[in-house]
């Protein structure tokens, strides 16, 4: 499988979601007709806010939501952080769930303690581009991304918004190379580890001669009391072999923001 | 809401670090107002959002305006990132330098 084939596989990964309107809010609004659930196949590497407009169109009226009532999503009792890619949230919450993944749409009582305020698509764009800059700071001291033109940033964001693989990689491939356009091990590999109910973990790991197993060891070292024998480190829903070269994993299995978003979860 | 008593201003050049606090060095950029004292010992569990709130209060930023906070003058971390994580990954020496400005600068 070629490089781009591998990346295409990651890009094409999707999860089946069923959105339903909060029954509680519907009742409170005195709604009589229960709106139908909406089914969508969402890319793992995409973000929920990209379908907010659609959901607002479908459901806002049924609960008499005003412009001040901001949409938010939950799974069971957990509000879903809109700035996390769909795939992370799925791996964290829904791996053992019956599919489609049933997500509740809300308009009232925005849980500001649990999720960030969402002011609109610019907020998501800003977040995405910031993560990209952070990733390049780790990989290249930000030297490569600092050369990008506004048009290149625009193309990157558009490609996420429209989920367009070729457009995305036409710019993103520059971030796989150093400032001279050559292949060179990244200074540090951008990664984060997510665990339900725990704070996100991020650490510094060089890519030279390191493996995915070294990331797992770094985590164990940081949390010596964590018993990881019955846990697994998932990336895009799959276990990555500990022997996999971290540079390769970073170049091929990162999310569009260039981070390896790894979910640590109990083995099922 | 953050109160100014929650951040102990650190006057000495080599502030000692207690286990649950990290040292922030806050620098103004663009037309953001300067702080009188720039170094603070902050609880490591605080988030970037908390720092933004504190800055807006301290610098008497008007309603409707906000502050953008940058790390390494390169990126704006998500507002829910905790300071300990930022310090461990992006701290320099004994402190975490954060740059703030009223408009988007680097991200």
């Amino acid at each position: 499988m070629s490089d781009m084939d591998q990346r295409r596989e990651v890009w094409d990964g999707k999860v089946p979601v069923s959105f339903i309107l909060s029954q509680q809010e519907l009742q409170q609004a005195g709604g009589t007709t229960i709106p139908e659930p909406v089914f969508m196949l969402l890319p793992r590497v995409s973000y929920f806010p990209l379908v907010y407009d659609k959901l607002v169109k479908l459901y806002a009226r049924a609960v008499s939501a005003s412009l001040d009532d901001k949409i938010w999503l939950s799974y069971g009792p957990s509000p879903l952080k809109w700035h996390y890619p769909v795939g992370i949230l799925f791996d964290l919450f829904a791996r053992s769930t019956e599919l489609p993944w049933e997500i509740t749409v809300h308009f009232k009582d925005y849980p500001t303690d649990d999720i960030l305020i969402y002011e609109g698509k610019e907020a998501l764009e800003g977040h995405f581009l910031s993560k990209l800059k952070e990733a390049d700071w780790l990989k290249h001291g930000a030297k490569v991304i600092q050369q990008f033109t506004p048009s290149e940033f625009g193309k990157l964001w558009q490609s996420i918004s429209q989920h367009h693989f070729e457009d995305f990689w036409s710019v993103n491939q520059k971030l796989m190379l150093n400032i001279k356009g050559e292949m060179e091990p990244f200074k540090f590999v951008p990664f984060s580890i997510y665990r339900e109910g725990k704070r996100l973990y991020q650490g510094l790991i060089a890519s030279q001669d390191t493996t995915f197993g070294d990331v797992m060891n770094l985590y164990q070292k940081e949390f010596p009391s964590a018993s990881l024998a019955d846990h697994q480190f998932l990336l895009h829903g799959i276990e990555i072999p500990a022997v996999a070269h971290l540079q390769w994993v970073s170049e091929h299995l990162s999310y569009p923001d260039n981070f390896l978003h790894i979910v640590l979860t109990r083995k099922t | 809401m953050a109160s100014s008593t929650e951040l102990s201003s650190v006057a000495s050049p080599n502030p000692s670090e207690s286990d649950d606090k990290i040292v922030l060095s806050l620098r103004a950029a663009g037309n953001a107002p300067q702080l009188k004292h720039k170094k603070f010992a902050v609880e490591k569990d605080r988030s970037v959002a908390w720092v933004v709130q504190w800055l807006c209060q301290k610098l008497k930023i008007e309603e409707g305006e906000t502050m953008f906070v940058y790390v390494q003058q390169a990126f704006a971390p998500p507002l829910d990132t905790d300071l300990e994580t930022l310090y461990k990954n992006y701290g320099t020496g004994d402190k975490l330098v954060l740059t703030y400005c009223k408009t988007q600068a680097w991200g």
Side-chain angles (χ1 to χ4, degrees), chain A residues 130 133-134 199 202 222, chain B residues 45 76 82 88-90 106:
Chain A
S130 254
K133 287 170 187 177
E134 182 182 358
R199 180 190 295 168
Q202 197 176 325
E222 180 75 18
Chain B
D45 287 344
D82 63 286
K88 281 187 168 171
N89 287 276
Y90 307 111
W106 298 277

Side-chain angles (χ1 to χ4, degrees), chain B residues 30-51:
Chain B
N31 62 351
Q34 300 273 351
L35 284 166
K36 200 161 146 206
H37 300 289
K38 300 190 186 343
K39 271 192 176 169
F40 300 91
V42 186
E43 263 147 42
K44 62 186 186 181
D45 287 344
R46 297 297 187 191
S47 66
V48 177
W50 187 90
V51 174

Side-chain angles (χ1 to χ4, degrees), chain A residues 124-242:
Chain A
L124 181 60
E125 180 181 2
H127 167 75
F128 172 73
L129 293 180
S130 254
K131 287 302 283 183
L132 216 48
K133 287 170 187 177
E134 182 182 358
D136 197 57
W137 189 88
L138 289 165
K139 291 158 81 169
H140 306 116
K143 292 194 168 53
V144 175
I145 208 164
Q146 272 162 11
Q147 306 283 332
F148 280 17
T149 62
S151 158
E152 283 174 311
F153 282 120
K155 195 171 188 185
L156 279 169
W157 171 243
Q158 272 275 44
S159 70
I160 295 301
S161 198
Q162 311 294 327
H163 195 63
H164 200 283
F165 178 77
E166 282 87 11
D167 279 355
F168 176 72
W169 275 100
S170 70
V171 185
N172 194 53
Q173 50 91 21
K174 283 188 178 184
L175 295 171
M176 303 303 127
L177 307 169
N178 67 16
I179 195 149
K180 295 187 224 151
E182 300 160 340
M183 291 190 67
E184 190 185 332
F186 302 144
K187 187 163 169 217
F188 297 113
V189 170
F191 80 93
S192 294
I193 299 180
Y194 303 79
R195 227 176 139 181
E196 197 186 341
K198 295 213 181 340
R199 180 190 295 168
L200 176 163
Y201 167 70
Q202 197 176 325
L204 291 173
I205 192 160
S207 86
Q208 187 105 47
D209 303 323
T210 49
T211 63
F212 191 75
D214 290 326
V215 174
M216 306 191 307
N217 291 337
L218 186 66
Y219 186 87
Q220 180 77 91
K221 208 165 132 189
E222 180 75 18
F223 303 102
S225 58
S227 65
L228 302 177
D230 59 345
H231 279 69
Q232 51 192 341
F233 290 80
L234 297 177
L235 182 57
H236 303 294
I238 58 172
E239 277 192 272
I240 306 298

